[in-house]
Amino acid sequence: MIKKKNSEIEKDYLKKINKIQKLNKAYYINSKPIVEDKIYDELKKNILDLEKKYYFLKNEMSPSTSVGYKPSKNFKKVRHMTPMLSLGNVFKRDDLINFEKKIYNFLSFNHNTKIEYSVEPKIDGISASLFYKDGKFIQGLSRGDGVQGEDITENLKTIEDIPKGLNGKDYPHEIDIRGEVFINNSDFENLKNKFANPRNAASGSLRQKDPKETKKIPLRFVAYTFGYSKDLKINNQFEFLVSLKKWGFKTNEFNKVISGIENLINNHKKIEEQRNKIDFDIDGLVYKVNDFNLQKRLGYAANAPRWAVAHKFSANKSISEILKIEIQIGRTGALTPVAKIKPVNIGGVLVSNATLHNEDEINRKDIRLGDTVIVERAGDVIPHVISVDKKRRNKSSKKFIFPKKCPCGFETIKEFNKITKKFDAVRRCPDRGFECEKIAIEKIKHFVSKDAFNIDGFGKKIVESFWAKKLIRYPNDIFNLNYKVISKLEGWGDLSVANLKYSIETKKKITLSKFIYSMGIRHIGQENAKLISKNLNSFENFLSMKNRLDFNHLLNIDGIGDTQITSIQNFFSNKKNLLMLEKFKKIIEILPEEENIIGGIFKDKTFMLTGKLEGISRAEAKSLIEKNSGKISSNVNKKLDYLVIGDKPTIRKVNEAKELNINVISQKDFLKMLNFKDF
Ligand code: IVH
């Protein structure tokens, strides 16, 4: 019964989305509105109200996620001179300790050396990058996908906090100032019926086609970092924040410099207590290693800097009841139990699903159907069940029996972990490529997702609906969709089909690392995909792995171990995967990685390290080689160009290298090649 009702609600909702899209096109593309503003506003409010009331309603074309027509067509896309990255998150003390430990290890610092952090509130708004040339505001971009942003200069110009010209004289010739656009909570009161929350209101207003519309909204701007810069003569983040103020920007009044984990945690507690008294939403604190030199040495891993992290505020909790336990199958075959709970509001978000993690967790906590439970929602992390109130348990309740079969019919397994000598807590449907339907759907969802092919408007719901209609079975099917059939489906109009087609067409070129990541091979995340891509260099080389009997050559890559190799081997041993790769070869263009911007002085040179290095960790030395386009080898062979020796090197390696006439150099010589004087 309930199901039927939901589908009717959804049908009505999709009709409204379709309608508003037509009105949007008329207004934004043709600049010829076909209805009065009042009618448009009513329809929009109607959609937003429906989304607020029914948690399951979502659509990429909804006015809550996109403002106006597809923003990518409203605004010119511009490449950021340096990418706008995101930050890693920590929630607990241990995570924070771990974050700092990694820094100490990377820099090879001993613990008498203090590291100072610039501590800044993390405002929950929309980031923007403002380019100033000779003190004049030239161009402003939204974050976009981090690599390309949208040119929203005119809209940004309407914000009072953004200086059109910089004060003083000591600003750099060229600089991208980055910061957060947001709305004060008190100002949001008047916009409540138009937007779901202050963040949406900021994002929506910022991307209006007409800057006059943007000007009506009291947007604010706080500056906190920079991207590209020329002639910046500042040595640390805090000095930079002070300069921002001198140049005419607003900075956060809670910014400070702190060192030591305990001091960071105390400050975090204090700010969290004051959080409700502040007139804008902050969801944590950002810690940045203060010294720019150290920031440079630490560099970046995948999408986030090693020198910064977001320390999120603690979770919110609520009590609810378990209505149903569903088993979801992930991309890697993991069976994850998810509790459908009586919807509760936790920290402003209506929560109706909570993860139960895995079979062992259910047994350990003895979670049962109908139980009263405490649910926690921490930051962007999926809500989870913390504990059961056993006193309120029904006497007739029975232990939950975890299914031993995947819904696809295959038996599931628990893998044995050789290192911990224990069986995994997670039960899995062994990944047989695309044979398990559930895994196949998840693989496709992964394929279109943001960090993979990033196909605009191709969300999870669309994957599910196209799958159900048998329009897709493998990721490559996305590039051969039957648009005629799609345009006849409910909720699809000519316009949305054209948009989809456009999004897909623009994604026919991709870098090898993104492609490898998109394949969703277990244990091959973004970082590993990048490493493999750099090592292999071309799609042909990647493809040719199917003919190899062993993949041990990949062991040369720092970070790739037996686990990853087994997984890759597994991928290539599956015929369906091979067929898919062959198809991709014909449909799309897979490009080698772009050359590293920093240098290339080690281009075509291979290095090997032996012995303990002084004042620099092995990880940092390797990252320096890679940053300068060099390669790393883990054994002495003819192709090696340099053997770098530290303290107590392996004599055998040194002798072998000498025999092969390979340059044997000291750590000092190595750093000299890089123009380092400080070590
Ligand atoms: S620094 C690589 N500083 O948080 C450096 N970001 O997840 C990244 N944010 O997109 C940016 N306050 O929108 C930085 N004081 C602050 C920030 C801050 C808020 C946002 C920003 C960014 C996201 C990173």
Side-chain angles (χ1 to χ4, degrees):
M1 271 264 290
I2 292 176
K3 239 189 180 148
K4 187 161 174 267
K5 219 174 156 202
N6 280 357
S7 74
E8 270 167 18
I9 294 163
E10 187 158 22
K11 210 166 139 187
D12 174 46
Y13 169 79
L14 287 175
K15 250 192 201 161
K16 290 194 160 98
I17 294 277
N18 224 344
K19 176 124 190 252
I20 204 160
Q21 259 185 276
K22 282 195 186 121
L23 301 186
N24 279 337
K25 189 184 176 204
Y27 183 87
Y28 289 103
I29 301 291
N30 306 334
S31 294
K32 263 195 200 142
I34 42 181
V35 293
E36 277 176 41
D37 282 4
K38 215 178 113 198
I39 296 180
Y40 179 89
D41 289 344
E42 252 166 41
L43 178 64
K44 188 167 155 187
K45 187 168 181 307
N46 234 307
I47 293 173
L48 298 179
D49 284 348
L50 277 172
E51 283 175 10
K52 258 192 206 167
K53 197 162 166 196
Y54 302 104
Y55 190 57
F56 59 91
L57 292 178
K58 247 187 222 153
N59 191 294
E60 278 83 1
M61 297 301 164
S62 154
S64 64
T65 49
S66 66
V67 169
Y69 197 62
K70 254 183 97 58
S72 52
K73 286 184 189 159
N74 275 341
F75 300 105
K76 197 172 68 186
K77 281 208 170 173
V78 180
R79 204 183 167 86
H80 293 292
M81 295 220 255
T82 56
M84 285 182 86
L85 301 163
S86 53
L87 291 172
N89 289 330
V90 295
F91 289 94
K92 297 187 300 256
R93 170 190 297 262
D94 282 355
D95 301 339
L96 186 60
I97 292 175
N98 206 12
F99 164 74
E100 188 170 62
K101 202 162 133 194
K102 278 193 194 148
I103 293 183
Y104 273 87
N105 287 343
F106 194 93
L107 296 172
S108 211
F109 271 7
N110 74 31
H111 284 268
N112 300 327
T113 320
K114 257 196 193 159
I115 293 184
E116 277 185 347
Y117 298 97
S118 170
V119 176
E120 308 160 19
K122 186 169 183 298
I123 301 180
D124 195 12
I126 303 295
S127 50
S129 187
L130 319 171
F131 179 60
Y132 287 83
K133 194 174 161 83
D134 295 320
K136 242 183 92 181
F137 177 38
I138 304 286
Q139 187 179 50
L141 305 178
S142 70
R143 179 173 187 272
D145 61 4
V147 177
Q148 276 191 327
E150 292 154 344
D151 184 341
I152 48 168
T153 313
E154 294 311 313
N155 292 358
L156 287 166
K157 275 187 186 164
T158 68
I159 301 176
E160 261 179 52
D161 293 345
I162 295 181
K164 313 301 166 283
L166 302 182
N167 294 339
K169 276 192 189 132
D170 62 345
Y171 46 74
H173 281 311
E174 290 180 7
I175 188 161
D176 274 328
I177 301 288
R178 290 176 176 173
E180 206 78 359
V181 177
F182 63 100
I183 287 185
N184 273 354
N185 290 337
S186 49
D187 290 330
F188 177 66
E189 282 301 310
N190 307 322
L191 301 165
K192 252 187 175 153
N193 50 357
K194 284 199 188 142
F195 299 100
N197 55 45
R199 190 174 188 276
N200 278 8
S203 148
S205 332
L206 203 52
R207 287 154 91 210
Q208 295 286 348
K209 191 191 175 198
D210 183 356
K212 279 194 212 108
E213 292 300 311
T214 311
K215 202 175 164 66
K216 288 185 195 160
I217 313 286
L219 293 172
R220 286 162 204 273
F221 183 78
V222 156
Y224 49 67
T225 191
F226 61 94
Y228 165 81
S229 76
K230 199 171 158 191
D231 310 321
L232 180 72
K233 292 184 189 74
I234 291 176
N235 300 317
N236 67 55
Q237 169 68 7
F238 205 75
E239 231 179 85
F240 176 71
L241 291 172
V242 172
S243 301
L244 279 173
K245 236 178 155 173
K246 271 197 288 186
W247 299 336
F249 290 97
K250 292 210 169 130
T251 54
N252 204 296
E253 57 172 308
F254 296 97
N255 292 344
K256 51 185 93 139
V257 174
I258 296 178
S259 57
I261 299 283
E262 288 315 312
N263 298 332
L264 287 173
I265 290 175
N266 286 339
N267 176 66
H268 189 262
K269 262 194 205 139
K270 254 195 231 151
I271 305 270
E272 188 166 14
E273 279 160 17
Q274 293 172 36
R275 185 181 175 190
N276 298 335
K277 292 184 204 125
I278 307 174
D279 197 16
F280 45 82
D281 286 342
I282 55 177
D283 55 357
L285 296 173
V286 180
Y287 303 150
K288 301 174 185 166
V289 170
N290 197 29
D291 185 338
F292 282 167
N293 260 328
L294 295 183
Q295 287 190 3
K296 209 167 138 197
R297 282 179 62 189
L298 286 160
Y300 299 85
N303 273 334
R306 288 194 188 90
W307 46 265
V309 78
H311 189 182
K312 292 292 190 82
F313 289 135
S314 74
N316 292 298
K317 294 173 195 138
S318 282
I319 293 176
S320 182
E321 191 190 314
I322 298 191
L323 304 174
K324 201 175 159 194
I325 297 178
E326 278 183 7
I327 308 292
Q328 291 182 353
I329 318 295
R331 169 170 62 83
T332 59
L335 271 66
T336 305
V338 176
K340 299 273 150 188
I341 57 168
K342 221 182 208 171
V344 276
N345 189 318
I346 313 183
V349 176
L350 198 64
V351 177
S352 47
N353 292 316
T355 178
L356 302 171
H357 300 294
N358 54 53
E359 182 178 7
D360 285 8
E361 275 295 294
I362 294 194
N363 290 339
R364 198 173 62 78
K365 292 176 185 157
D366 186 18
I367 296 168
R368 303 177 183 193
L369 272 177
D371 270 352
T372 302
V373 289
I374 296 179
V375 180
E376 182 180 62
R377 189 183 72 88
D380 322 322
V381 176
I382 305 167
H384 64 278
V385 168
I386 307 186
S387 60
V388 178
D389 184 351
K390 289 187 183 151
K391 277 187 243 124
R392 292 169 72 174
R393 177 176 277 168
N394 202 319
K395 280 203 185 84
S396 63
S397 104
K398 286 197 187 78
K399 217 175 150 52
F400 180 75
I401 310 282
F402 201 90
K404 299 287 176 289
K405 269 194 178 172
C406 174
C408 73
F410 282 125
E411 288 294 334
T412 58
I413 49 160
K414 277 193 161 200
E415 288 175 1
F416 187 73
N417 187 322
K418 280 185 209 150
I419 298 164
T420 58
K421 302 227 172 359
K422 276 185 194 157
F423 280 99
D424 259 0
V426 176
R427 186 170 279 285
R428 284 175 197 283
C429 176
D431 182 4
R432 297 174 173 87
F434 290 85
E435 276 161 59
C436 166
E437 275 203 8
K438 299 283 172 190
I439 296 182
I441 296 176
E442 295 308 313
K443 277 189 194 279
I444 301 176
K445 284 183 191 167
H446 171 78
F447 182 84
V448 294
S449 66
K450 200 148 191 236
D451 292 325
F453 265 71
N454 188 19
I455 301 185
D456 277 346
F458 209 121
K460 291 183 178 176
K461 276 199 175 169
I462 296 185
V463 173
E464 278 165 17
S465 120
F466 284 7
W467 178 277
K469 307 251 158 41
K470 298 201 169 61
L471 286 160
I472 46 175
R473 281 293 173 267
Y474 298 94
N476 49 286
D477 294 337
I478 287 171
F479 295 99
N480 285 316
L481 284 176
N482 189 337
Y483 292 107
K484 259 198 188 144
V485 174
I486 296 171
S487 64
K488 289 194 186 103
L489 297 179
E490 223 185 282
W492 288 88
D494 289 348
L495 194 62
S496 42
V497 170
N499 280 343
L500 183 72
K501 208 171 168 178
Y502 175 81
S503 306
I504 293 172
E505 284 303 311
T506 55
K507 295 297 156 73
K508 283 193 168 169
K509 265 188 190 175
I510 194 158
T511 58
L512 180 59
S513 65
K514 285 217 172 192
F515 181 79
I516 297 175
Y517 173 71
S518 305
M519 291 297 98
I521 305 169
R522 196 169 158 207
H523 304 298
I524 307 297
Q526 280 173 279
E527 181 84 342
N528 283 339
K530 265 192 195 155
L531 294 172
I532 296 171
S533 158
K534 263 195 207 152
N535 184 276
L536 294 176
N537 239 327
S538 72
F539 179 60
E540 267 57 43
N541 288 342
F542 180 68
L543 201 57
S544 75
M545 299 226 287
K546 65 175 190 247
N547 305 321
R548 288 189 91 109
L549 292 177
D550 78 77
F551 290 63
N552 289 342
H553 62 302
L554 294 179
L555 280 172
N556 281 345
I557 308 174
D558 196 34
I560 302 288
D562 287 338
T563 318
Q564 286 78 13
I565 301 259
T566 312
S567 190
I568 295 171
Q569 222 150 6
N570 212 347
F571 175 81
F572 278 101
S573 66
N574 187 301
K575 285 211 179 82
K576 288 193 172 163
N577 288 338
L578 298 183
L579 201 68
M580 173 175 68
L581 291 179
E582 286 302 333
K583 289 203 170 148
F584 272 126
K585 197 176 152 186
K586 291 189 191 120
I587 318 171
I588 60 170
E589 198 181 337
I590 301 164
L591 311 160
E593 259 9 72
E594 279 174 28
E595 275 299 325
N596 223 318
I597 316 159
I598 301 172
I601 53 164
F602 289 162
K603 193 165 165 20
D604 298 329
K605 299 280 179 253
T606 305
F607 289 77
M608 183 180 162
L609 308 165
T610 177
K612 192 178 170 344
L613 303 177
E614 200 184 310
I616 173 173
S617 68
R618 210 161 249 253
E620 185 176 5
K622 287 188 174 177
S623 128
L624 277 173
I625 294 169
E626 279 168 359
K627 263 189 203 165
N628 289 285
S629 319
K631 281 191 190 147
I632 294 150
S633 170
S634 61
N635 59 352
V636 180
N637 58 47
K638 266 197 259 165
K639 284 190 189 151
L640 189 66
D641 295 292
Y642 294 97
L643 178 68
V644 182
I645 51 170
D647 193 28
K648 294 195 188 122
T650 311
I651 302 296
R652 180 183 48 83
K653 289 182 187 164
V654 180
N655 290 340
E656 275 174 15
K658 280 184 181 158
E659 256 168 49
L660 291 169
N661 268 337
I662 288 161
N663 291 309
V664 179
I665 59 169
S666 68
Q667 173 184 347
K668 218 171 169 185
D669 294 336
F670 167 67
L671 292 170
K672 250 193 219 153
M673 288 166 84
L674 286 162
N675 270 331
F676 270 93
K677 295 174 196 90
D678 305 346
F679 282 96

